[in-house]
Amino acid sequence: MKKLITLTTLALLSSSAHVLANAGPAPMPAPAPEPAPVAKMNPFSGFLLGGQLGVNAQDTSVKQKMTNRNRASASSDVGGTGFTGGLGMGYGWLFNRFYAGLETNYNFSSLQGKHKTLALAGEFTRSSKLTGVWDISTRLGMTLGANNNVLAYIKPGVAFGKWKSKSYNQNNGTGKKSKNVTGFLIGAGMDVALSDRMSMGVEYTYTAYGSFSYNEVAGN
């Protein structure tokens, strides 16, 4: 911008010298150029690449089915928290203010919970841990603000989580199993444009996973 102002000043001075040399009437000064319009920041459309960092919380229901001597079943809830973070990529389309996009993410997780419960067979210590999640989802939303620099959206999709479960009982020993479990996710979030190529936002996602079973017997 400073170069543009300097060049304009030199052009006006040159014009004034030409007028004085010809002794003619001074022309009206040229109108000042109109300021350039403010560019709308739009990092939401096209190819997207980024990362995320956050906190996980779980509420896992554990059911114990006793098969020997027709003992009754018992159940308990395992809760816990942990950190999560990873990378994601996707592609977005912007139609006026309406937005549609596809994305995929992979997040590592330290989410882990532990719970003790007293059943007919004695005290059981149970734990569950989520080590990683790969998800595929869509984003549907619209931009807000005078410059369309805020994106509000909802996010439905599917997630594939690596879960590890373990239980211990002094009579039955230790049982454990690892499995990839599929879940349905739904989320909502808001992104704010920091420039025409970068944005930052916040998102809340709820994922409901399926179930798996294993024997609470040593060696399984």
Side-chain angles (χ1 to χ4, degrees), residues 51-63:
Q52 50 273 342
L53 182 66
V55 177
N56 272 345
Q58 71 163 334
D59 183 9
T60 303
S61 177
V62 179
K63 293 183 179 181

Side-chain angles (χ1 to χ4, degrees), residues 84-142:
T84 182
L87 298 175
M89 60 185 298
Y91 198 92
W93 295 268
L94 196 59
F95 311 96
N96 293 324
R97 287 184 176 269
F98 296 97
Y99 175 85
L102 296 172
E103 67 176 57
T104 180
N105 302 277
Y106 184 83
N107 291 298
F108 297 97
S109 174
S110 66
L111 175 63
Q112 185 173 8
K114 183 180 290 187
H115 180 71
K116 291 185 178 181
T117 182
L118 187 62
L120 294 176
E123 184 181 76
F124 280 83
T125 300
R126 298 184 175 91
S127 66
S128 61
K129 182 177 182 180
L130 177 64
T131 59
V133 180
W134 171 50
D135 67 68
I136 303 173
S137 60
T138 62
R139 281 193 184 192
L140 303 172
M142 65 181 302

